[in-house]
Amino acid sequence: MRKKIKWGRLFRRSAALFLATMGLWLLLIGAGAGAASGAAEALGGSGDFVSAALRTELGPARADPLSFWGRLAVDQSPLLVANPGRETEPAPSAEPLPNAQPAPDHDDITEAPETTTAPGDIVERTLVPTTTEGYVTGAGLYLYNRTGLPVDLLGVLKQSLSFTLAPAPDGPQILIIHTHATEAYTQDGTDIYTPSDNNTRTLDEAHNMIRVGDEMERVFTEMGLSVLHDRSVYDYPQYNGSYGRSGPAVQNYLAQYPTIRLVLDVHRDALVGSDGTVYKAVTTVDGVKTAQVMLVVGSSAGGGEHPNWMQNLALAARLQKSLDTLYPTLARPMTLRQSVYNQNLSPGSLLVEVGSHGNTLQEALAGARLFARAAGSVFLSLAAE
């Protein structure tokens, strides 16, 4: 004999369970809001844990103080941060994330602390602009101008370069150098190294910027370009004054090899929020997680002797156009700085930042390969001109 189901009793029990669950959920929200308010008061009452510069590049979703739950979703949960919607959130930036190095507005830098953390706790961002505010724009290019110097990007892109490349058999065409060779990336998987004077720097050539330079050299060489890769270390044991030590080396190479027309000083960035959060600039190309690349151009705005900085900017504009065409989102906007960075020594000099210290070495190598392919096509066109 079948037992008769008492639907009324079942409905009442289900409703009671639903109301109890909702009550518990509302109680937790109230506790979370109180925690957020207390944290805000401890930080001066703002409720905003991220620096103004950081909020600007991370976009509108980060421009206003986040609720407790919003902050938890974005900043504190590696699983939620890994969500593709968050991971590739474009950044309408008028100012790049805070750079610890290598591009402050002076050449002789004081070493800045670089926060380290576990790979799963690093916040991923694809740093691409979605607004023109704060940028110099033209020909589809974006330039973050920190100098106050007038720049017409469309005119810059059309500007003829003052040099061409001699044939590769005649001698090296490209010099790759690392003013900060010991810069390294977040240790991950089998990419483990012994730190030198900083947790994100090492003398291990298999894991610092020399390894990234090796990857660029390999691609350039495969494309038929001739490369000289300087493997010297200029930032250890003394970090301050690195540019003063790498500059004479560049001069010696230019004198010894007059065929060199391009000088690439290869670094990586360091992105840390005011609350200590470590960020990394990353995108995905053909399914491969890849460190973003940024071109930094020096100028005479800081008082240094650099009358031909516009030639370097013209070269950077051509490279940026190639990067944006071949690999959209690989390149962060170009940056024009007040310092010279030894770029006054040759009209084909650029500082190339591959990723940041939050990236892994494998992400950086992927970025270096793609940069070299895009840049190599531009360099080959210079040889044909």
Side-chain angles (χ1 to χ4, degrees):
M1 179 177 180
R2 278 195 259 174
K3 190 174 182 180
K4 185 177 181 180
I5 298 176
K6 298 183 178 180
W7 293 103
R9 180 182 298 175
L10 180 62
F11 175 80
R12 288 194 296 274
R13 288 180 178 177
S14 299
L17 179 61
F18 174 78
L19 291 174
T21 303
M22 287 296 294
L24 179 60
W25 182 72
L26 291 172
L27 180 63
L28 288 173
I29 288 181
S37 175
E41 292 175 3
L43 292 177
S46 69
D48 189 354
F49 295 176
V50 184
S51 68
L54 189 66
R55 292 198 316 274
T56 306
E57 187 157 353
L58 293 181
R62 304 296 302 277
D64 296 321
L66 295 171
S67 69
F68 174 80
W69 296 107
R71 195 183 327 281
L72 176 66
V74 176
D75 287 340
Q76 298 171 8
S77 170
L79 294 177
L80 292 173
V81 166
N83 181 287
R86 291 288 184 186
E87 178 179 300
T88 58
E89 178 183 1
S93 168
E95 182 174 0
L97 292 160
N99 291 339
Q101 61 199 357
D105 291 331
H106 50 88
D107 288 329
D108 234 359
I109 356 184
T110 300
E111 181 176 4
E114 295 171 357
T115 305
T116 57
T117 189
D121 294 329
I122 294 171
V123 179
E124 301 181 357
R125 286 291 181 270
T126 301
L127 303 178
V128 293
T130 58
T131 178
T132 59
E133 183 179 356
Y135 289 106
V136 176
T137 61
L141 301 177
Y142 289 77
L143 173 71
Y144 179 54
N145 186 353
R146 297 210 42 190
T147 67
L149 296 170
V151 175
D152 172 14
L153 274 184
L154 182 59
V156 167
L157 189 61
K158 293 179 178 179
Q159 182 177 333
S160 297
L161 297 179
S162 62
F163 63 90
T164 58
L165 296 187
D170 292 354
Q173 302 159 308
I174 305 169
L175 170 63
I176 297 177
I177 192 169
H178 309 281
T179 296
H180 298 149
T182 66
E183 289 175 333
Y185 298 89
T186 293
Q187 301 191 50
D188 181 59
T190 59
D191 292 319
I192 305 300
Y193 56 81
T194 301
S196 55
D197 56 344
N198 184 295
N199 285 335
T200 53
R201 300 201 187 107
T202 182
L203 291 167
D204 183 352
E205 291 187 0
H207 293 94
N208 61 20
M209 299 315 301
I210 294 175
R211 174 66 184 90
V212 177
D214 285 340
E215 194 69 8
M216 290 186 182
E217 178 185 9
R218 182 183 65 79
V219 175
F220 286 145
T221 302
E222 289 177 352
M223 297 179 73
L225 294 159
S226 179
V227 181
L228 174 63
H229 186 189
D230 179 9
R231 309 176 72 83
S232 303
V233 174
Y234 301 103
D235 63 333
Y236 186 87
Q238 181 65 35
Y239 186 81
N240 294 347
S242 301
Y243 284 95
R245 291 185 288 275
S246 64
V250 173
Q251 289 177 306
N252 290 336
Y253 285 125
L254 292 173
Q256 185 176 357
Y257 302 101
T259 53
I260 293 176
R261 289 292 182 272
L262 300 162
V263 180
L264 304 180
D265 192 353
V266 180
H267 297 250
R268 60 105 174 105
D269 206 349
L271 307 178
V272 184
S274 62
D275 63 342
T277 300
V278 175
Y279 294 83
K280 67 176 176 179
V282 67
T283 187
T284 300
V285 180
D286 295 332
V288 177
K289 193 170 286 188
T290 303
Q292 288 185 283
V293 177
M294 181 169 69
L295 299 174
V296 178
V297 182
S299 73
S300 57
E305 184 66 25
H306 192 4
N308 298 315
W309 61 269
M310 191 66 77
Q311 276 285 295
N312 291 333
L313 183 57
L315 174 63
R318 293 193 186 193
L319 297 186
Q320 187 83 6
K321 197 68 176 176
S322 180
L323 288 164
D324 291 348
T325 300
L326 294 175
Y327 311 110
T329 75
L330 174 63
R332 295 165 61 184
M334 299 177 290
T335 298
L336 181 65
R337 294 275 189 164
Q338 296 187 40
S339 295
V340 175
Y341 306 120
N342 297 325
Q343 293 178 10
N344 57 336
L345 302 178
S346 173
S349 296
L350 293 173
L351 193 154
V352 184
E353 293 194 40
V354 182
S356 63
H357 75 307
N359 287 101
T360 66
L361 175 63
Q362 296 308 312
E363 292 166 351
L365 294 177
R369 283 192 292 272
L370 298 185
F371 166 80
R373 290 172 190 166
S377 64
V378 174
F379 296 159
L380 288 171
S381 72
L382 295 176
E385 289 180 356

